Amino acid sequence: MQKPKLHNPLKIVSRDTGKMTNSLKNAIKGTEANIFFNGGSGKKISQVAKGQMDVLIYEGRCTHKWDSCASEPLILALGGFFTDEKCQPIEYDPNNVNTVNTHGNICCFD
């Protein structure tokens, strides 16, 4: 599988607009980016991996470790990025009972 090429305009997949923060809405406003809201976390990540979408943005506490742990290695193996919204690696600590991805997920290719 090859690293996907970006679309023009950019295709962003995220949560539905009612759950997006104002900061994300404002960042996208005025751009030609298209935002899509379809399926669960795994489907959205696979759309990025297959090049159907350019970036996945999940803000805040909306996913769990099980939503990202299987998909992250795939994205990384394809040369992509998979971080939290602060651009920090997602920590998978088996001793931590908190399974929430506290700072969301960003999944994309450069």
Side-chain angles (χ1 to χ4, degrees):
M1 196 172 195
Q2 294 183 24
K3 181 168 77 170
K5 297 194 181 336
L6 296 177
H7 296 91
N8 186 10
L10 200 63
K11 291 184 175 183
I12 300 170
V13 63
S14 188
R15 303 169 71 185
D16 66 67
T17 52
K19 295 179 181 175
M20 288 173 60
T21 65
N22 286 334
S23 61
L24 180 57
K25 289 177 189 175
N26 290 335
I28 296 168
K29 186 190 293 185
T31 71
E32 293 184 18
N34 295 308
I35 305 173
F36 298 87
F37 315 99
N38 49 357
S41 179
K43 179 178 180 181
K44 291 172 184 165
I45 294 168
S46 71
Q47 289 174 323
V48 174
K50 293 189 280 185
Q52 296 168 337
M53 297 289 158
D54 297 309
V55 62
L56 163 86
I57 302 173
Y58 272 135
E59 300 172 287
R61 305 172 56 90
C62 61
T63 63
H64 290 266
K65 305 295 184 196
W66 56 75
D67 294 316
S68 57
C69 67
S71 304
E72 181 179 4
L74 172 66
I75 297 297
L76 296 177
L78 291 171
F81 300 93
F82 204 108
T83 66
D84 68 16
E85 64 189 13
K86 296 183 177 193
C87 295
Q88 298 298 309
I90 298 168
E91 293 188 28
Y92 301 100
D93 181 353
N95 298 315
N96 187 349
V97 295
N98 180 8
T99 63
V100 175
N101 285 323
T102 308
H103 299 290
N105 303 129
I106 297 176
C107 167
C108 64
F109 293 90
D110 59 0

